[in-house]
Amino acid sequence: SFPTRRSSDLCSNEVIFMKSILLSLFLNCLFFSILALLELRIDVYLANLLIILVPSITSAILIIFTSKMKLYLWLNVISNLIFYIIYSKYIMHLDGYLSYIERAQINNSDIEIKISPNMLELSQIIFLFFVYLIPQMIVVFIKHKRGEINARI
């Protein structure tokens, strides 16, 4: 006979999934809102590091608690990219944005670091897509190796 799930187990899994996805959306929206409020008062390099780390870590931690990993993973990656695009459009239209980028560039005899003023270049979006995707996939892979039934992409 096949193992059956009780309806209370299914409801519990649905509630956990909804809580995880809503918490992730809330935390990432809050993060990008705070970053937007800081406007150009935060170092360019620190802002970029936070844009990479915070949504990736938040999503990777919260995927641990859900059983609908495939749906959770894609909703998170897409929502993180949408938050990033909205944030980028806002920041790029601020007065002083170009001078903000120029001040962060380094150009001397030893090293040259140039920053593109276009935060929405296709290469940047593709890079962030994978940065937001890979940590979650690693967690799913670990869960799968530990024998969790739903841990597949």
Side-chain angles (χ1 to χ4, degrees):
S1 88
F2 292 102
T4 58
R5 289 188 181 176
R6 296 183 317 209
S7 63
S8 63
D9 290 342
L10 290 175
C11 288
S12 175
N13 288 339
E14 297 294 325
V15 169
I16 291 170
F17 169 75
M18 289 304 296
K19 284 182 179 178
S20 294
I21 198 70
L22 289 174
L23 183 59
S24 177
L25 289 171
F26 172 75
L27 291 175
N28 288 321
C29 182
L30 179 67
F31 163 70
F32 279 104
S33 298
I34 291 170
L35 210 53
L37 287 173
L38 289 172
E39 293 183 342
L40 305 177
R41 294 184 296 269
I42 186 170
D43 181 68
V44 173
Y45 301 108
L46 178 60
N48 285 319
L49 182 65
L50 291 174
I51 286 169
I52 290 170
L53 290 178
V54 171
S56 298
I57 292 171
T58 302
S59 299
I61 290 172
L62 290 174
I63 200 170
I64 293 169
F65 302 105
T66 186
S67 61
K68 292 186 172 190
M69 290 173 219
K70 189 174 188 177
L71 179 59
Y72 177 87
L73 184 137
W74 292 114
L75 284 173
N76 258 318
V77 170
I78 291 167
S79 65
N80 287 342
L81 286 174
I82 290 170
F83 289 140
Y84 172 76
I85 290 168
I86 292 168
Y87 166 76
S88 297
K89 285 191 167 284
Y90 173 74
I91 290 296
M92 290 189 314
H93 287 90
L94 289 175
D95 291 336
Y97 172 72
L98 291 177
S99 62
Y100 170 71
I101 294 297
E102 287 174 13
R103 282 192 311 269
Q105 295 187 52
I106 299 170
N107 191 3
N108 61 35
S109 61
D110 297 330
I111 190 169
E112 181 178 21
I113 298 176
K114 292 196 180 248
I115 302 171
S116 172
N118 183 2
M119 295 173 69
L120 296 174
E121 287 181 357
L122 183 59
S123 61
Q124 181 73 6
I125 300 298
I126 292 170
F127 171 75
L128 283 174
F129 172 82
F130 286 110
V131 163
Y132 294 153
L133 178 68
I134 290 171
Q136 292 182 79
M137 289 188 75
I138 290 170
V139 171
V140 171
F141 177 76
I142 291 169
K143 287 179 84 172
H144 178 70
K145 287 296 182 186
R146 288 188 175 172
E148 287 194 31
I149 298 168
N150 295 326
R152 291 197 173 107
I153 299 295

